[in-house]
Amino acid sequence: MTLTPRNAGIGARFGAAAPAYEDHASIQRLAAERLAGDIALLPLPPRPRILEIGCGTGLLTQALARRIGPADWTVTDIASGMLAAAQRGPSLPGQARYQLLDGEHPAGLEGGYDLICSSLAVQWFSDLNAGLGRLAALLAPGGCLAVATLADGTFQEWQAAHAAAGLSAATPRYPSAAAIHPDGGNLAGGVRSERLIHNHPDGLRFLRGLKGIGATTPAPGRAPLGAAQLRRVLAAFDEQGAGVTYHLAYGMWKKSNQHPAGVFVTGTDTGIGKTLVSAILARAWNADYWKPVQTGVAEEPGDTDTVAQLAGLPPERLHLPAYVLQAPLSPWAAATLEDAIVDATSIVPPATQAPLIVEGAGGLYVPIDDTHMMIDLIARLDMPVVLAARSGLGTINHTLLSLEALKRRGIPILGVIMSGPLSAGNKEAIERFGDVRVLAEIPPLAKVDAQTVQALASTIPSLAECLQALGDAPAVAS
């Protein structure tokens, strides 16, 4: 393994810190557990092939092992001391190998990984997005890249203390969460983030904590402070309270399987307008329609008939539900009342020549059976999502929570369609804070018929354009 002088220095500092690393790694432990929890929700195959970048002492490695069980592990780090510490940990279930590797330039790996993961290591890459792109190239079709890293705003108090002392901090500058994305195509996913405040007794203890984990390499071209300068910065830091912000960014991206185009329509709630949205998309994209689980047929016609009429779909473009239930309840609750058995794992999409619009029942966390929610079905069907949302008061919270849940599962989001009185402010907030495109706004309608649907469908971007924005553009008829 050949390293640049900077990477060699980073590896040496982390390697020297390995013996006492975990005594100072509270933020690293938390990030590893958060990331492992997200990864455990992914539809990984049995005994997945896993590549870990920057394993450290094994915090993420062990957190994953507890959650996913046997795997084919390739565990790597740039520092031999860290790699040795990880290898001394509990044995991993399955087959494991430990390897010195520069994760930013992963030479010599054959690829085909079902999961490539890294917790609080890739922030040391000299070009983050290019490095993530090289890692993504090693994924198998359908494989996932999952990372925790640092984003803009991290160490802002330490930087403010430098500014108060008339100096500039040598801590690295991190990108905004929205700017983090692997270079290259065939990936879909996103980044969620959280901010944590770590309070220290004083600035000296903060610096000792960084030294304890080996995170003391200054930004490129920057030299450490002199003793007198450091005293001024520490005094300013202590005066402002000795707390430090960590802006953690969790990225989850999936490599395209190049399957025929399909879109799953779900909503922030029930009664949100998913059926109308499905009809508009079917008309706009000349698509087939399928509702896997239909409930409430005792009180009103099924959604398949409604979409057929609104979108003008002939019978051959419609596909029968896998389950039809009488009560207007969740599939799980309706099946219980009717003494029926629903098994989410038995739901298989129909083979189609055209794109397929799949409409869910209720929102993401509506239970389908005893162990599966609607979001589990979405993840298993491996389709991008169009999220139906209201336009009015409360929609920002509901929509952002739904987007966050989808991002945690690595489910690509094609966009949001809002229904109700037009609200430029809510639309802007959802696009800005959800990092997503609002594909259309449906105003209050005096009449909902085929002509109305045709008019609304004419405003929808093409499916090819929407998929291209995800970096996932199979050939489709739109």
Side-chain angles (χ1 to χ4, degrees):
M1 179 182 67
T2 302
L3 298 176
T4 65
R6 173 175 167 77
N7 284 352
I10 291 171
R13 292 179 190 228
F14 276 105
Y21 177 88
E22 294 192 14
D23 295 335
H24 305 276
S26 58
I27 296 295
Q28 287 72 21
R29 181 175 288 104
L30 184 149
E33 291 291 336
R34 293 266 212 278
L35 182 61
D38 288 355
I39 291 170
L41 297 172
L42 297 174
L44 296 173
R47 300 183 71 90
R49 294 191 67 223
I50 297 175
L51 170 64
E52 183 182 356
I53 301 298
C55 66
T57 57
L59 295 177
L60 176 61
T61 320
Q62 294 300 326
L64 276 180
R66 292 193 301 271
R67 288 169 169 84
I68 66 176
D72 183 336
W73 307 83
T74 300
V75 182
T76 75
D77 201 280
I78 201 172
S80 58
M82 288 292 189
L83 198 65
Q87 196 163 5
R88 288 193 296 269
S91 298
L92 297 175
Q95 179 182 359
R97 65 194 63 81
Y98 294 81
Q99 180 177 337
L100 280 173
L101 183 76
D102 178 356
E104 186 173 5
H105 301 278
L109 298 176
E110 61 183 19
Y113 294 100
D114 301 303
L115 171 68
I116 299 176
C117 57
S118 179
S119 183
L120 293 189
V122 299
Q123 68 269 15
W124 294 101
F125 287 5
S126 58
D127 185 334
L128 175 59
N129 287 346
L132 292 177
R134 284 187 284 272
L135 292 174
L138 297 173
L139 289 169
C144 292
L145 173 62
V147 303
T149 188
L150 299 177
D152 183 43
T154 298
F155 301 146
Q156 61 189 28
E157 297 85 355
W158 184 244
Q159 293 158 2
H162 279 72
L167 300 166
S168 179
T171 50
R173 296 291 179 177
Y174 304 111
S176 68
I180 300 172
H181 191 283
D183 287 348
N186 285 347
L187 288 175
V191 177
R192 69 180 186 90
S193 60
E194 66 174 338
R195 291 184 185 270
L196 300 175
I197 304 294
H198 191 189
N199 292 310
H200 299 270
D202 52 47
L204 194 57
R205 245 74 67 92
F206 164 60
L207 290 181
R208 286 174 179 167
L210 291 182
K211 184 177 181 181
I213 62 170
T216 55
T217 302
R222 301 300 307 279
L225 297 177
Q229 293 174 320
L230 181 58
R231 284 194 294 269
R232 284 163 38 212
V233 171
L234 287 173
F237 183 76
D238 292 347
E239 186 176 347
Q240 67 188 22
V244 177
T245 295
Y246 288 82
H247 187 184
L248 300 177
Y250 301 91
M252 190 79 71
W253 300 276
K254 189 169 187 177
K255 189 170 185 177
S256 170
N257 263 322
Q258 296 299 325
H259 48 72
V263 173
F264 198 107
V265 176
T266 188
T268 59
D269 199 352
T270 190
I272 205 73
K274 295 187 301 297
T275 302
L276 176 57
V277 167
S278 297
I280 293 168
L281 296 181
R283 182 74 176 182
W285 295 339
N286 195 26
D288 287 16
Y289 172 82
W290 179 50
K291 176 115 177 175
V293 184
Q294 175 71 66
T295 63
V297 296
E299 297 187 359
E300 56 187 24
D303 294 329
T304 302
D305 290 342
T306 301
V307 170
Q309 294 171 13
L310 292 177
L313 297 182
E316 63 269 19
R317 306 296 291 277
L318 304 169
H319 303 276
L320 295 177
Y323 296 98
V324 177
L325 299 161
Q326 301 296 311
L329 302 170
S330 71
W332 169 76
T336 301
L337 282 179
E338 298 167 31
D339 198 24
I341 296 175
V342 173
D343 179 3
T345 64
S346 70
I347 297 174
V348 177
T352 64
Q353 297 301 313
L356 178 66
I357 305 299
V358 183
E359 182 186 347
L364 294 173
Y365 285 95
V366 167
I368 299 175
D369 57 25
D370 286 341
T371 56
H372 297 93
M373 304 287 187
M374 193 59 60
I375 194 170
D376 298 309
L377 177 62
I378 297 171
R380 193 169 62 80
L381 295 183
D382 193 22
M383 292 177 175
V385 161
V386 170
L387 181 67
R390 292 187 178 90
S391 63
L393 187 65
T395 193
I396 296 174
N397 181 65
H398 294 160
T399 304
L400 294 184
L401 284 173
S402 295
L403 295 172
E404 179 94 348
L406 291 166
K407 290 177 182 179
R408 288 191 67 188
R409 301 293 290 267
I411 296 170
I413 303 162
L414 211 64
V416 173
I417 294 182
M418 303 174 68
S419 297
L422 302 184
S423 173
N426 286 346
K427 175 179 180 289
E428 180 185 3
I430 287 169
E431 289 190 321
R432 177 178 178 181
F433 297 107
D435 190 26
V436 71
R437 181 182 183 183
V438 173
L439 300 176
E441 296 175 274
I442 303 173
L445 302 172
K447 185 178 182 181
V448 179
D449 56 16
Q451 289 72 31
T452 304
V453 167
Q454 171 60 39
L456 291 168
S458 67
T459 69
I460 300 292
S462 73
L463 179 55
E465 177 187 340
C466 294
L467 289 172
Q468 183 63 49
L470 287 177
D472 179 13
V476 296
S478 57

